[in-house]
């Protein structure tokens, strides 16, 4: 499942096939990466120079699709963030997608 982190894949399998509770995060964030975050969360997230993950809220899904419900704006960089080429949806401390 290349679109989800290993953590989320395992949590969903446990919840749907093993009746193991999964607690959804109360807030999820959009994170920027300069290298592929991968399923194992081994990418390089932007850091420093006024970078901060931005919270993101999603509308209810329809036909397997959900979109964010508001524009996501990052602060202006005070220095180089490198070449941002990837994004990830995260909770604090843990990758979800």
């Amino acid at each position: 499942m290349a679109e989800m982190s290993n953590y989320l894949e395992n949590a969903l399998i446990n919840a749907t096939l093993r009746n193991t509770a999964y607690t959804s995060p109360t807030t999820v964030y959009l994170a920027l990466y300069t290298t592929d975050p991968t399923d194992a969360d081994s990418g390089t997230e932007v850091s420093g120079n006024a970078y901060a993950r931005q919270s993101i809220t999603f509308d209810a899904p329809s036909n397997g699709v959900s979109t964010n419900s508001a524009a996501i704006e990052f602060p202006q960089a005070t220095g180089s963030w490198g070449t941002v080429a990837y994004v990830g949806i995260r909770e604090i401390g843990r990758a979800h997608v």
Side-chain angles (χ1 to χ4, degrees), residues 2-95:
E3 294 80 14
M4 290 184 266
S5 69
N6 291 339
Y7 171 82
L8 184 57
E9 290 171 354
N10 290 336
L12 292 175
I13 289 168
N14 281 331
T16 57
L17 302 179
R18 300 181 65 233
N19 198 30
T20 303
Y22 169 70
T23 303
S24 298
T26 55
T27 305
V28 292
Y29 299 87
L30 188 67
L32 305 178
Y33 289 82
T34 57
T35 63
D36 186 353
T38 75
D39 287 6
D41 193 28
S42 61
T44 303
E45 185 177 357
V46 171
S47 65
N49 298 311
Y51 170 76
R53 294 176 186 165
Q54 299 299 302
S55 62
I56 183 170
T57 304
F58 290 91
D59 292 326
S62 175
N63 295 319
V65 176
S66 180
T67 58
N68 56 299
S69 57
I72 302 148
E73 296 183 15
F74 286 84
Q76 183 172 343
T78 58
S80 177
W81 286 356
T83 301
V84 174
Y86 302 89
V87 298
I89 298 173
R90 302 183 55 100
E91 71 172 301
I92 296 298
R94 183 177 296 141

